[in-house]
Coordinates of all heavy atoms in Angstrom, one line a residue:
G1 N 2.2 5.0 20.0 CA 3.5 4.5 20.1 C 3.5 3.0 19.7 O 2.5 2.4 19.5
K2 N 4.7 2.5 19.5 CA 4.9 1.2 19.0 C 4.5 0.2 20.2 O 4.7 0.5 21.3 CB 6.3 0.9 18.5 CG 6.6 1.8 17.3 CD 7.6 1.1 16.5 CE 7.9 1.9 15.3 NZ 7.3 1.4 14.1
G3 N 4.0 -1.0 19.8 CA 3.7 -2.0 20.7 C 2.4 -1.9 21.4 O 2.1 -2.6 22.4
L4 N 1.6 -1.0 21.0 CA 0.3 -0.8 21.6 C -0.8 -1.7 21.1 O -1.9 -1.7 21.6 CB -0.2 0.7 21.5 CG 0.7 1.7 22.2 CD1 0.2 3.1 21.9 CD2 0.7 1.5 23.7
E5 N -0.5 -2.4 20.0 CA -1.5 -3.3 19.3 C -2.8 -2.5 18.9 O -3.9 -3.0 19.0 CB -1.9 -4.4 20.2 CG -0.7 -5.4 20.5 CD -0.1 -6.0 19.3 OE1 -0.9 -6.4 18.4 OE2 1.1 -6.1 19.2
V6 N -2.6 -1.3 18.4 CA -3.6 -0.5 17.9 C -3.6 -0.6 16.4 O -2.5 -0.4 15.8 CB -3.5 1.0 18.3 CG1 -4.5 1.9 17.6 CG2 -3.6 1.1 19.8
H7 N -4.7 -0.9 15.7 CA -4.8 -1.1 14.3 C -5.6 0.0 13.7 O -6.8 0.2 14.2 CB -5.3 -2.5 13.9 CG -4.5 -3.6 14.5 ND1 -3.3 -4.0 13.9 CD2 -4.6 -4.3 15.6 CE1 -2.8 -5.0 14.7 NE2 -3.6 -5.2 15.7
L8 N -5.1 0.7 12.7 CA -5.8 1.8 12.2 C -6.0 1.6 10.7 O -5.1 1.2 10.0 CB -5.0 3.1 12.3 CG -5.5 4.4 11.8 CD1 -6.8 4.8 12.6 CD2 -4.4 5.5 12.0
I9 N -7.3 1.8 10.2 CA -7.6 1.6 8.8 C -7.9 3.0 8.3 O -8.7 3.8 8.8 CB -8.8 0.7 8.6 CG1 -8.5 -0.7 9.1 CG2 -9.2 0.7 7.2 CD1 -9.7 -1.6 9.2
T10 N -7.2 3.4 7.2 CA -7.4 4.7 6.6 C -7.6 4.4 5.1 O -7.3 3.4 4.5 CB -6.2 5.6 6.8 OG1 -5.1 5.0 6.2 CG2 -6.0 5.8 8.2
A11 N -8.1 5.4 4.4 CA -8.3 5.4 3.0 C -8.0 6.7 2.4 O -8.2 7.8 3.0 CB -9.8 5.0 2.7
G12 N -7.4 6.7 1.2 CA -7.1 8.0 0.5 C -6.5 7.7 -0.8 O -6.2 6.6 -1.2
N13 N -6.4 8.8 -1.6 CA -5.9 8.7 -2.9 C -4.3 8.5 -2.8 O -3.7 9.1 -2.0 CB -6.2 10.1 -3.6 CG -5.6 10.1 -5.0 OD1 -4.5 10.0 -5.3 ND2 -6.6 10.2 -6.0
S14 N -3.8 7.6 -3.6 CA -2.4 7.3 -3.5 C -1.5 8.5 -3.7 O -0.4 8.6 -3.1 CB -2.0 6.1 -4.5 OG -2.2 6.6 -5.8
V15 N -1.9 9.4 -4.6 CA -1.1 10.6 -4.8 C -1.0 11.5 -3.6 O 0.0 12.0 -3.2 CB -1.7 11.4 -6.0 CG1 -1.0 12.7 -6.2 CG2 -1.6 10.6 -7.3
D16 N -2.2 11.6 -2.9 CA -2.2 12.4 -1.6 C -1.4 11.8 -0.5 O -0.7 12.4 0.2 CB -3.7 12.6 -1.2 CG -4.5 13.4 -2.1 OD1 -3.9 14.2 -2.9 OD2 -5.7 13.3 -2.2
I17 N -1.5 10.4 -0.4 CA -0.7 9.7 0.6 C 0.8 9.9 0.4 O 1.5 10.2 1.3 CB -1.1 8.2 0.7 CG1 -2.6 8.1 1.1 CG2 -0.2 7.4 1.6 CD1 -3.2 6.7 1.0
T18 N 1.2 9.8 -0.9 CA 2.6 9.9 -1.2 C 3.1 11.4 -0.9 O 4.1 11.6 -0.3 CB 2.9 9.6 -2.7 OG1 2.5 8.2 -2.9 CG2 4.3 9.8 -3.1
R19 N 2.2 12.3 -1.3 CA 2.6 13.8 -1.0 C 2.7 14.0 0.5 O 3.7 14.7 0.9 CB 1.5 14.7 -1.6 CG 1.8 16.2 -1.4 CD 0.7 17.0 -2.0 NE -0.7 16.6 -1.7 CZ -1.3 16.9 -0.5 NH1 -0.6 17.5 0.4 NH2 -2.5 16.5 -0.3
L20 N 1.8 13.5 1.3 CA 1.9 13.7 2.7 C 3.1 13.0 3.3 O 3.8 13.6 4.2 CB 0.6 13.1 3.4 CG -0.6 14.0 3.3 CD1 -1.8 13.2 3.8 CD2 -0.4 15.3 4.1
K21 N 3.4 11.8 2.9 CA 4.6 11.2 3.4 C 5.9 11.9 3.0 O 6.8 12.2 3.8 CB 4.7 9.7 2.9 CG 5.9 9.0 3.4 CD 6.0 7.6 2.9 CE 7.2 6.9 3.5 NZ 7.4 5.5 3.1
N22 N 6.0 12.4 1.7 CA 7.1 13.1 1.3 C 7.3 14.5 1.9 O 8.4 15.0 2.0 CB 7.1 13.3 -0.2 CG 7.3 11.9 -1.0 OD1 7.8 11.0 -0.4 ND2 6.9 11.9 -2.2
S23 N 6.2 15.0 2.4 CA 6.2 16.3 3.1 C 6.7 16.2 4.6 O 6.9 17.2 5.3 CB 4.9 17.0 3.1 OG 4.0 16.4 4.0
G24 N 6.8 14.9 5.0 CA 7.3 14.7 6.4 C 6.2 14.5 7.4 O 6.5 14.5 8.6
D25 N 5.0 14.3 7.0 CA 3.9 14.2 7.9 C 4.2 12.9 8.8 O 4.3 11.8 8.2 CB 2.6 14.0 7.2 CG 1.4 13.8 8.1 OD1 1.1 12.7 8.5 OD2 0.8 14.9 8.4
P26 N 4.3 13.0 10.1 CA 4.7 11.9 10.9 C 3.7 10.8 11.0 O 4.0 9.6 11.0 CB 5.0 12.5 12.3 CG 4.3 13.8 12.3 CD 4.2 14.3 10.9
L27 N 2.4 11.1 11.0 CA 1.3 10.1 11.0 C 1.3 9.3 9.7 O 1.3 8.1 9.8 CB 0.0 10.8 11.3 CG -1.2 9.8 11.3 CD1 -1.0 8.7 12.4 CD2 -2.5 10.5 11.4
C28 N 1.4 10.0 8.6 CA 1.4 9.3 7.3 C 2.6 8.4 7.2 O 2.5 7.3 6.7 CB 1.3 10.3 6.2 SG 1.1 9.6 4.6
A29 N 3.8 9.0 7.6 CA 5.0 8.2 7.5 C 4.9 6.9 8.4 O 5.3 5.8 7.9 CB 6.2 9.0 8.0
S30 N 4.3 7.0 9.5 CA 4.2 5.9 10.4 C 3.2 4.8 9.8 O 3.5 3.6 9.9 CB 3.6 6.3 11.8 OG 3.4 5.2 12.6
M31 N 2.1 5.3 9.2 CA 1.2 4.4 8.6 C 1.7 3.7 7.4 O 1.5 2.5 7.2 CB -0.1 5.1 8.2 CG -0.9 5.5 9.4 SD -2.6 6.1 9.0 CE -2.2 7.5 7.9
T32 N 2.5 4.4 6.6 CA 3.0 3.7 5.4 C 4.2 2.8 5.7 O 4.6 2.0 4.8 CB 3.4 4.8 4.3 OG1 4.4 5.7 4.9 CG2 2.2 5.5 3.8
N33 N 4.8 2.9 6.9 CA 5.9 2.0 7.3 C 5.4 0.9 8.1 O 6.2 0.2 8.7 CB 6.9 2.8 8.0 CG 7.7 3.8 7.1 OD1 7.8 3.6 5.9 ND2 8.1 4.9 7.7
G34 N 4.1 0.7 8.2 CA 3.5 -0.4 9.0 C 3.8 -1.8 8.4 O 4.3 -1.9 7.3
R35 N 3.4 -2.8 9.2 CA 3.6 -4.1 8.7 C 2.7 -4.6 7.6 O 3.2 -5.3 6.7 CB 3.4 -5.1 9.9 CG 3.7 -6.5 9.6 CD 3.6 -7.4 10.7 NE 3.8 -8.8 10.3 CZ 3.5 -9.8 11.0 NH1 3.1 -9.7 12.2 NH2 3.7 -11.0 10.4
F36 N 1.5 -4.1 7.6 CA 0.5 -4.6 6.6 C -0.1 -3.4 5.8 O -0.2 -2.3 6.4 CB -0.7 -5.3 7.2 CG -0.3 -6.5 8.0 CD1 -0.4 -6.6 9.3 CD2 0.2 -7.7 7.3 CE1 0.0 -7.7 10.0 CE2 0.5 -8.8 8.0 CZ 0.4 -8.8 9.4
A37 N -0.5 -3.6 4.6 CA -1.2 -2.6 3.8 C -2.0 -3.2 2.8 O -1.7 -4.3 2.2 CB -0.2 -1.6 3.1
V38 N -3.2 -2.7 2.5 CA -4.1 -3.1 1.4 C -4.2 -1.9 0.5 O -4.6 -0.9 0.8 CB -5.5 -3.5 2.0 CG1 -6.4 -3.8 0.8 CG2 -5.4 -4.6 2.9
L39 N -3.7 -2.2 -0.8 CA -3.7 -1.1 -1.8 C -4.6 -1.5 -2.9 O -4.4 -2.6 -3.5 CB -2.2 -1.0 -2.3 CG -1.1 -0.9 -1.2 CD1 0.2 -0.9 -1.9 CD2 -1.3 0.4 -0.4
L40 N -5.6 -0.7 -3.2 CA -6.5 -1.0 -4.2 C -6.3 -0.2 -5.5 O -6.0 1.0 -5.5 CB -7.9 -0.6 -3.8 CG -8.4 -1.4 -2.5 CD1 -9.8 -0.9 -2.1 CD2 -8.5 -2.9 -2.9
G41 N -6.3 -1.0 -6.6 CA -6.2 -0.4 -8.0 C -4.8 0.0 -8.4 O -3.9 0.1 -7.6
G42 N -4.7 0.2 -9.7 CA -3.4 0.7 -10.2 C -2.3 -0.4 -10.2 O -2.5 -1.6 -10.1
D43 N -1.1 0.1 -10.2 CA 0.1 -0.7 -10.1 C 0.9 -0.3 -8.9 O 0.6 0.7 -8.2 CB 0.9 -0.6 -11.4 CG 1.3 0.8 -11.8 OD1 1.5 1.6 -10.9 OD2 1.3 1.1 -13.0
M44 N 2.0 -1.0 -8.6 CA 2.8 -0.6 -7.5 C 3.5 0.7 -7.6 O 3.7 1.4 -6.6 CB 3.9 -1.7 -7.2 CG 3.4 -3.0 -6.6 SD 2.4 -2.7 -5.0 CE 3.7 -2.0 -4.0
D45 N 3.8 1.2 -8.8 CA 4.3 2.5 -9.0 C 3.3 3.6 -8.5 O 3.7 4.7 -8.1 CB 4.8 2.8 -10.4 CG 6.2 2.4 -10.6 OD1 6.9 2.0 -9.7 OD2 6.6 2.4 -11.8
A46 N 2.0 3.3 -8.6 CA 1.0 4.3 -8.2 C 1.0 4.4 -6.7 O 0.5 5.4 -6.1 CB -0.3 3.9 -8.7
H47 N 1.6 3.5 -6.0 CA 1.6 3.4 -4.5 C 3.0 3.6 -4.0 O 3.5 2.8 -3.2 CB 1.0 2.1 -4.0 CG -0.4 1.9 -4.5 ND1 -1.5 2.5 -4.0 CD2 -0.9 1.0 -5.5 CE1 -2.6 2.1 -4.6 NE2 -2.3 1.2 -5.5
Q48 N 3.6 4.7 -4.4 CA 5.0 4.9 -4.1 C 5.3 5.1 -2.6 O 6.5 4.9 -2.2 CB 5.5 6.2 -4.9 CG 5.5 6.0 -6.3 CD 6.0 7.3 -7.1 OE1 6.4 8.2 -6.4 NE2 5.8 7.3 -8.4
A49 N 4.3 5.5 -1.8 CA 4.6 5.7 -0.4 C 4.9 4.5 0.4 O 5.4 4.5 1.5 CB 3.4 6.5 0.2
F50 N 4.5 3.3 -0.2 CA 4.7 2.0 0.5 C 5.9 1.3 -0.1 O 6.1 1.2 -1.3 CB 3.4 1.2 0.3 CG 2.2 1.8 0.9 CD1 1.4 2.7 0.2 CD2 1.8 1.5 2.2 CE1 0.3 3.3 0.7 CE2 0.7 2.1 2.8 CZ 0.0 3.0 2.0
Q51 N 6.6 0.7 0.9 CA 7.8 -0.1 0.5 C 7.4 -1.5 0.1 O 6.5 -2.1 0.8 CB 8.8 -0.2 1.7 CG 9.3 1.1 2.3 CD 10.3 1.7 1.4 OE1 11.0 1.0 0.7 NE2 10.4 3.0 1.4
S52 N 7.9 -2.0 -1.0 CA 7.6 -3.4 -1.4 C 8.8 -4.0 -2.0 O 9.7 -3.3 -2.5 CB 6.4 -3.4 -2.3 OG 6.8 -3.0 -3.6
T53 N 8.8 -5.3 -2.1 CA 9.8 -6.1 -2.7 C 9.5 -6.4 -4.2 O 10.2 -7.2 -4.8 CB 10.1 -7.4 -1.9 OG1 8.9 -8.1 -1.9 CG2 10.6 -7.1 -0.5
V54 N 8.5 -5.8 -4.7 CA 8.1 -6.1 -6.1 C 9.3 -5.6 -7.0 O 9.7 -4.5 -6.9 CB 6.8 -5.3 -6.5 CG1 6.5 -5.5 -8.0 CG2 5.7 -5.8 -5.7
P55 N 9.8 -6.5 -7.9 CA 10.9 -6.1 -8.8 C 10.5 -5.0 -9.7 O 9.4 -4.8 -10.1 CB 11.1 -7.4 -9.6 CG 10.5 -8.5 -8.9 CD 9.4 -7.9 -8.1
Y56 N 11.5 -4.1 -10.0 CA 11.3 -3.0 -10.8 C 10.6 -3.3 -12.1 O 9.8 -2.6 -12.6 CB 12.7 -2.3 -11.1 CG 12.5 -1.0 -11.9 CD1 12.1 0.2 -11.3 CD2 12.8 -1.0 -13.2 CE1 12.0 1.3 -12.0 CE2 12.7 0.1 -14.0 CZ 12.3 1.3 -13.4 OH 12.1 2.4 -14.1
S57 N 11.0 -4.4 -12.7 CA 10.4 -4.8 -14.0 C 8.9 -5.1 -13.9 O 8.2 -5.2 -14.9 CB 11.1 -6.1 -14.5 OG 11.0 -7.2 -13.6
E58 N 8.4 -5.3 -12.7 CA 6.9 -5.6 -12.5 C 6.1 -4.5 -11.8 O 4.9 -4.7 -11.6 CB 6.8 -6.9 -11.7 CG 7.4 -8.1 -12.4 CD 7.2 -9.4 -11.6 OE1 6.2 -9.5 -10.8 OE2 8.0 -10.3 -11.7
R59 N 6.8 -3.4 -11.5 CA 6.1 -2.3 -10.8 C 5.0 -1.6 -11.6 O 4.1 -1.1 -11.1 CB 7.1 -1.3 -10.3 CG 8.0 -1.9 -9.2 CD 8.9 -0.9 -8.5 NE 8.1 0.1 -7.8 CZ 7.6 -0.1 -6.6 NH1 7.8 -1.3 -5.9 NH2 7.0 0.9 -6.0
K60 N 5.1 -1.7 -12.9 CA 4.1 -1.1 -13.8 C 3.0 -2.0 -14.2 O 2.1 -1.7 -14.9 CB 4.8 -0.6 -15.1 CG 5.7 0.6 -14.9 CD 4.9 1.9 -14.9 CE 5.8 3.1 -14.9 NZ 5.1 4.3 -14.4
K61 N 3.1 -3.2 -13.7 CA 2.1 -4.3 -14.0 C 0.8 -4.0 -13.1 O 0.9 -4.1 -11.9 CB 2.6 -5.6 -13.8 CG 1.8 -6.8 -14.2 CD 2.6 -8.1 -13.9 CE 2.0 -9.2 -14.7 NZ 2.7 -10.4 -14.4
A62 N -0.3 -3.7 -13.7 CA -1.5 -3.4 -13.0 C -2.1 -4.6 -12.3 O -1.9 -5.7 -12.8 CB -2.6 -2.8 -13.9
A63 N -2.6 -4.5 -11.1 CA -3.2 -5.6 -10.4 C -4.4 -6.2 -11.2 O -4.6 -7.4 -11.1 CB -3.7 -5.2 -9.0
G64 N -5.1 -5.4 -11.9 CA -6.2 -5.9 -12.7 C -7.5 -5.3 -12.2 O -7.6 -4.7 -11.1
K65 N -8.6 -5.5 -13.0 CA -9.9 -4.9 -12.6 C -10.4 -5.6 -11.3 O -10.3 -6.8 -11.1 CB -10.9 -5.2 -13.7 CG -12.3 -4.6 -13.5 CD -13.2 -4.8 -14.6 CE -14.5 -4.1 -14.3 NZ -15.5 -4.3 -15.3
E66 N -10.9 -4.7 -10.4 CA -11.4 -5.2 -9.1 C -10.3 -6.0 -8.3 O -10.6 -6.9 -7.5 CB -12.7 -6.0 -9.2 CG -13.8 -5.2 -9.9 CD -15.0 -6.0 -10.0 OE1 -15.1 -7.2 -9.7 OE2 -16.0 -5.4 -10.4
C67 N -9.0 -5.6 -8.4 CA -8.0 -6.3 -7.7 C -7.1 -5.2 -7.0 O -7.3 -4.0 -7.1 CB -7.1 -7.0 -8.7 SG -7.9 -8.4 -9.5
G68 N -6.3 -5.7 -6.1 CA -5.4 -4.9 -5.4 C -4.2 -5.6 -4.9 O -4.0 -6.8 -5.3
F69 N -3.4 -5.0 -4.1 CA -2.2 -5.6 -3.5 C -2.3 -5.7 -2.0 O -2.7 -4.7 -1.4 CB -0.9 -4.8 -3.9 CG -0.7 -4.6 -5.3 CD1 -1.1 -3.5 -6.0 CD2 0.0 -5.6 -6.0 CE1 -0.9 -3.3 -7.4 CE2 0.3 -5.4 -7.4 CZ -0.2 -4.3 -8.1
F70 N -1.9 -6.8 -1.5 CA -1.8 -6.9 0.0 C -0.3 -7.0 0.3 O 0.4 -7.8 -0.3 CB -2.5 -8.2 0.5 CG -2.3 -8.4 2.0 CD1 -3.0 -7.6 2.9 CD2 -1.5 -9.4 2.4 CE1 -2.8 -7.8 4.2 CE2 -1.3 -9.6 3.8 CZ -2.0 -8.8 4.7
L71 N 0.2 -6.1 1.2 CA 1.6 -6.1 1.5 C 1.7 -6.6 3.0 O 1.0 -6.1 3.9 CB 2.1 -4.6 1.5 CG 2.2 -3.9 0.2 CD1 2.8 -2.6 0.3 CD2 3.0 -4.8 -0.8
D72 N 2.6 -7.5 3.1 CA 3.0 -8.1 4.4 C 4.5 -7.9 4.6 O 5.2 -8.7 4.0 CB 2.5 -9.6 4.5 CG 2.9 -10.2 5.9 OD1 3.5 -9.5 6.7 OD2 2.5 -11.4 6.1
E73 N 4.9 -6.9 5.4 CA 6.3 -6.6 5.5 C 7.0 -6.4 4.2 O 8.1 -6.9 4.0 CB 7.0 -7.6 6.4 CG 6.4 -7.5 7.8 CD 7.2 -8.4 8.8 OE1 8.1 -9.1 8.4 OE2 6.9 -8.4 10.0
G74 N 6.3 -5.8 3.2 CA 6.9 -5.5 1.9 C 6.7 -6.6 0.9 O 6.9 -6.3 -0.3
Q75 N 6.3 -7.8 1.3 CA 6.0 -8.8 0.3 C 4.6 -8.6 -0.2 O 3.6 -8.5 0.5 CB 6.1 -10.2 1.0 CG 7.4 -10.5 1.6 CD 8.4 -10.8 0.5 OE1 8.1 -11.4 -0.5 NE2 9.7 -10.4 0.7
A76 N 4.5 -8.5 -1.5 CA 3.2 -8.2 -2.2 C 2.6 -9.4 -2.8 O 3.3 -10.3 -3.4 CB 3.4 -7.2 -3.2
C77 N 1.3 -9.5 -2.6 CA 0.5 -10.5 -3.4 C -0.8 -9.8 -3.9 O -1.3 -8.9 -3.3 CB 0.1 -11.7 -2.5 SG -1.1 -11.5 -1.3
V78 N -1.2 -10.2 -5.1 CA -2.4 -9.7 -5.7 C -3.6 -10.4 -5.2 O -3.6 -11.6 -5.0 CB -2.3 -9.8 -7.2 CG1 -3.5 -9.2 -7.9 CG2 -1.0 -9.0 -7.7
F79 N -4.7 -9.7 -4.9 CA -5.9 -10.3 -4.5 C -7.1 -9.7 -5.3 O -7.0 -8.6 -5.9 CB -6.2 -10.1 -3.0 CG -6.5 -8.7 -2.6 CD1 -7.8 -8.2 -2.6 CD2 -5.5 -7.9 -2.3 CE1 -8.1 -7.0 -2.2 CE2 -5.7 -6.5 -1.9 CZ -7.0 -6.1 -1.9
K80 N -8.2 -10.4 -5.4 CA -9.4 -9.9 -6.1 C -10.4 -9.6 -5.1 O -10.6 -10.3 -4.1 CB -9.9 -11.0 -7.0 CG -11.1 -10.6 -7.9 CD -11.3 -11.5 -9.1 CE -12.5 -11.1 -9.9 NZ -12.4 -9.8 -10.5
T81 N -11.0 -8.4 -5.3 CA -12.1 -8.0 -4.3 C -13.3 -8.8 -4.6 O -13.6 -9.3 -5.7 CB -12.3 -6.5 -4.5 OG1 -12.8 -6.2 -5.8 CG2 -11.1 -5.7 -4.2
M82 N -14.2 -8.8 -3.6 CA -15.5 -9.5 -3.7 C -16.5 -8.5 -4.2 O -16.6 -7.4 -3.6 CB -15.9 -10.1 -2.4 CG -15.0 -11.2 -1.9 SD -15.4 -11.8 -0.3 CE -17.0 -12.5 -0.6
S83 N -17.2 -8.8 -5.3 CA -18.2 -8.0 -5.7 C -19.4 -8.8 -6.3 O -19.2 -10.0 -6.6 CB -17.7 -7.0 -6.8 OG -17.2 -7.8 -7.9
E84 N -20.5 -8.2 -6.4 CA -21.7 -8.9 -6.9 C -21.7 -9.0 -8.4 O -21.3 -8.2 -9.1 CB -23.0 -8.3 -6.4 CG -23.0 -8.3 -4.9 CD -24.3 -7.7 -4.3 OE1 -24.4 -6.5 -4.4 OE2 -25.1 -8.4 -3.8

């Protein structure tokens, strides 16, 4: 339930996550409507299950190699992953 201060980290293919959300899966819908999300790879259009304020003209712009998007209540910023 809401307000329990439970944080859940999950991983999956963006296509599968979108399919689950669109099928009405309540757990997936709840997770994709959360306050924060870390999305790795691709562009914002690839992560359709998540709401963001990224303008339509920039949704096809890839984050870049070894980069991703951090969503905070729909506000997106691009970040670079740490690698050796």
